[in-house]
Amino acid sequence: METRFLGASGLKVPALGFGVGTFGGKGPLFSAWGNTDVEEARRLIDICLDAGVNFFDTADVYSDGASEEILGAALKGRRDQAIISTKTALRLGDGPNDVGASRSRLLKAVDASLRRLGTDYIDLLQLHAFDAHTPIEETLSTLDGLVTAGKIRYLGVSNFSGWQLMKSLAIADRRGYSRYIANQVYYSLIGRDYEWELMPLDREEGIGAVVWSPLGWGRLTGKIRRGQPLPPGSRLHDTAGFAPPVDEERLYRVIDVLDEIAAETGKAVPQIALNWLLQRPTVSTVLIGARNEQQLRQNLDAAGWSLDAAQIARLDAASAVVPPYPYYPYWNGMFTELNPPPVPVQLG
């Protein structure tokens, strides 16, 4: 498995990581994702490690902590082989301080995650969302203290806007705090908003993208087709309300091109969608998920080969959208002399 630096840090991560949101299966959302128990988790992690995938991503809210517990149990005795990434800031509990990124919440949340994971350090802690109620200085100083204490090795964010991330980086630089080096983002062939502002920011500031839901919330698994009902096993039946929105015509346009390239290459539709992401700027690792061994092995085969330039161009064209102002004039070529776009784009 190819390894890449996580942003401008010295930490190398595999090009594919394993997202373990399927571990636990508690609650209406996560039960639709999967209900992997400890025994099955060990088997899936065995397959990942054999393939060179040692980056495992979870969050404290996944199945109310059960995902972290199962991941920790499945890694028992081989913690040193793994890079553990988890997230916090979303609500986990009924108390007034059981949400956010305050000093009180972060200290409590990190200790709880360490207990559930059965480890004394977290390789990468990411804020699951921006907390507008807590001063950024309070959040960053607390995180920096946790790094100094050895409980966390690297810091990242998820679901931040451009200004939220840039303001945080500026304060960290001014105060001498540990910097964010990872940005966990939604990015897929049917969700390219990341390219408008966050990708240029990440490239400029040395932030590595950790991609979540690379198959567009299950829409690019190869099971959804134009004019056909959702297949019985699709998680979209129960979770469509949580899914990032996508225009149906654009979705089917992308699927049509994926089908064409699948016929040309002999690769499965999800493998092509994942491989396209692996060739995008700033992407450090793409998180694959799996409810069973078959899905995992198929997704792992998305690495180790490359789409050709013509195939990438066809996927780019099928998935492109006209970005909103103020991004539009930068992407249509008006300001290219001053600001070249982060990736080649054809506006649809």
Side-chain angles (χ1 to χ4, degrees), residues 247-268:
D247 175 74
E248 280 199 358
E249 179 53 38
R250 178 165 169 258
L251 168 64
Y252 294 129
R253 187 169 69 238
V254 170
I255 290 173
D256 288 344
V257 177
L258 286 169
D259 281 336
E260 293 171 4
I261 295 175
E264 297 167 7
T265 61
K267 301 292 185 180

Side-chain angles (χ1 to χ4, degrees), residues 60 88-89 97-116 122 125 127 134 138-152:
D60 58 6
T88 193
N97 291 312
D98 291 334
V99 64
S102 67
R103 178 172 290 107
S104 173
R105 171 67 196 288
L106 288 174
L107 295 176
K108 177 182 175 182
V110 167
D111 283 345
S113 287
L114 290 171
R115 286 194 300 270
R116 287 189 291 264
I122 295 166
L125 179 75
L127 297 184
T134 299
E138 178 180 337
T139 297
L140 291 174
S141 66
T142 305
L143 291 173
D144 186 66
L146 288 165
V147 171
T148 301
K151 293 184 177 183
I152 301 170

Side-chain angles (χ1 to χ4, degrees), residues 45-304:
I45 287 173
D46 286 343
I47 294 169
C48 284
L49 292 176
D50 286 345
V53 173
N54 68 338
F55 184 94
F56 302 101
D57 180 76
T58 183
D60 58 6
V61 295
Y62 291 173
S63 293
D64 292 331
S67 176
E68 288 185 329
E69 291 173 352
I70 293 172
L71 176 61
L75 285 172
K76 189 174 182 179
R78 48 184 176 174
R79 167 66 180 94
D80 61 341
Q81 299 179 42
I83 299 171
I84 293 179
S85 161
T86 192
K87 300 179 287 294
T88 193
L90 301 184
R91 177 166 288 282
L92 187 62
D94 298 327
N97 291 312
D98 291 334
V99 64
S102 67
R103 178 172 290 107
S104 173
R105 171 67 196 288
L106 288 174
L107 295 176
K108 177 182 175 182
V110 167
D111 283 345
S113 287
L114 290 171
R115 286 194 300 270
R116 287 189 291 264
L117 290 163
T119 183
D120 56 2
Y121 69 95
I122 295 166
D123 295 283
L124 175 64
L125 179 75
Q126 298 153 103
L127 297 184
H128 216 152
F130 182 73
D131 178 3
H133 298 289
T134 299
I136 295 175
E137 289 84 352
E138 178 180 337
T139 297
L140 291 174
S141 66
T142 305
L143 291 173
D144 186 66
L146 288 165
V147 171
T148 301
K151 293 184 177 183
I152 301 170
R153 295 190 170 174
Y154 294 93
L155 302 172
V157 300
S158 184
N159 305 312
F160 274 41
S161 68
W163 77 263
Q164 292 164 348
L165 176 53
M166 191 62 242
K167 185 172 182 179
S168 300
L169 293 171
I171 292 173
D173 290 345
R174 186 168 71 246
R175 301 282 190 177
Y177 296 144
S178 299
R179 239 173 168 260
Y180 296 131
I181 52 93
N183 187 8
Q184 188 165 149
V185 295
Y186 171 60
Y187 188 25
S188 76
L189 271 167
I190 56 170
R192 295 179 60 180
D193 295 356
Y194 168 67
E195 297 173 358
W196 299 347
E197 180 169 284
L198 290 171
M199 179 183 281
L201 190 161
D202 286 354
R203 183 181 58 183
E204 185 72 16
E205 295 296 323
I207 311 293
V210 178
V211 177
W212 65 266
S213 203
L215 298 180
W217 204 269
R219 295 182 176 109
L220 302 179
T221 58
K223 298 177 182 178
I224 294 176
R225 291 290 185 279
R226 189 189 302 269
Q228 298 181 15
L230 290 175
S234 174
R235 68 180 184 182
L236 285 167
H237 288 288
D238 300 315
T239 67
F242 298 98
V246 61
D247 175 74
E248 280 199 358
E249 179 53 38
R250 178 165 169 258
L251 168 64
Y252 294 129
R253 187 169 69 238
V254 170
I255 290 173
D256 288 344
V257 177
L258 286 169
D259 281 336
E260 293 171 4
I261 295 175
E264 297 167 7
T265 61
K267 301 292 185 180
V269 164
Q271 292 170 342
I272 295 166
L274 292 169
N275 192 270
W276 178 86
L277 281 168
L278 290 174
Q279 300 184 59
R280 311 308 280 179
T282 73
V283 171
S284 291
T285 188
V286 175
L287 298 176
I288 57 174
R291 286 187 275 189
N292 54 55
E293 180 177 335
Q294 180 183 7
Q295 286 182 350
L296 177 57
R297 290 191 183 278
Q298 182 186 70
N299 288 340
L300 288 172
D301 285 340

